[in-house]
């Protein structure tokens, strides 16, 4: 069982920035971020292929969020800039134990972090 621990959430003003971190207990194939706002379904935010570093983003965050990873620390990051009210959600780190073509749905992942809250307000 891969353990994922998120950190970095908090409160920030509209237009501000936050960086989320997710440390994994062991190497995985793909890591990503999902978020869930109250009353809404969990949605894909971004993902990264661990070995090659290819990145993928939801249209809603392109140009504002950047996903990256530190191979040596087994940690992925989500740099969030130009935050909007709509970004307020519980953010979850996810990891896949095997390679899969898909990476934008919850079923594409096997392990999940506990979630870290991001609250954006004016």
């Amino acid at each position: 069982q891969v353990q994922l621990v998120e950190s970095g959430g908090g409160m920030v003003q509209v237009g501000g920035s936050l960086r989320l971190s997710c440390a994994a207990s062991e190497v995985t194939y793909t890591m990503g971020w999902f978020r869930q706002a109250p009353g809404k379904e969990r949605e894909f935010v971004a993902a990264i292929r661990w070995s090659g570093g290819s990145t993928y983003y939801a249209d809603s965050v392109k140009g504002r969020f950047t996903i990256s990873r530190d191979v040596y620390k087994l940690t992925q990051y989500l740099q969030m800039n130009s935050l909007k009210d709509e970004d307020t959600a519980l953010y979850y780190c996810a990891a896949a134990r095997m390679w899969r073509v898909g990476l934008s749905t919850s079923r594409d992942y096997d392990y999940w972090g506990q979630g870290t809250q991001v609250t954006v307000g004016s």
Side-chain angles (χ1 to χ4, degrees):
Q1 180 74 32
V2 175
Q3 305 296 318
L4 302 175
V5 180
E6 303 114 326
S7 62
M11 295 178 285
V12 65
Q13 291 184 307
V14 172
S17 299
L18 281 175
R19 188 178 76 160
L20 306 183
S21 299
C22 175
S25 60
E26 60 186 83
V27 175
T28 58
Y29 288 85
T30 306
M31 294 186 72
W33 293 93
F34 287 75
R35 66 187 183 186
Q36 187 167 21
K40 298 184 66 177
E41 294 295 316
R42 187 171 298 186
E43 66 173 347
F44 171 74
V45 176
I48 187 166
R49 300 292 192 185
W50 200 250
S51 61
S54 297
T55 58
Y56 309 84
Y57 299 92
D59 289 339
S60 60
V61 305
K62 285 182 179 177
R64 299 189 298 120
F65 291 10
T66 302
I67 188 170
S68 62
R69 90 271 197 237
D70 186 324
V71 174
Y72 307 105
K73 293 182 178 180
L74 300 183
T75 300
Q76 69 160 333
Y77 306 93
L78 185 68
Q79 178 66 47
M80 305 184 294
N81 299 325
S82 301
L83 285 162
K84 305 174 180 179
D85 289 332
E86 307 90 86
D87 295 317
T88 294
L90 189 63
Y91 283 70
Y92 294 92
C93 175
R97 69 171 185 267
M98 64 183 290
W99 188 87
R100 296 182 176 89
V101 173
L103 44 64
S104 62
T105 66
S106 296
R107 64 179 61 86
D108 294 322
Y109 299 86
D110 306 292
Y111 310 106
W112 296 85
Q114 79 285 356
T116 185
Q117 180 68 38
V118 172
T119 302
V120 184
S122 58

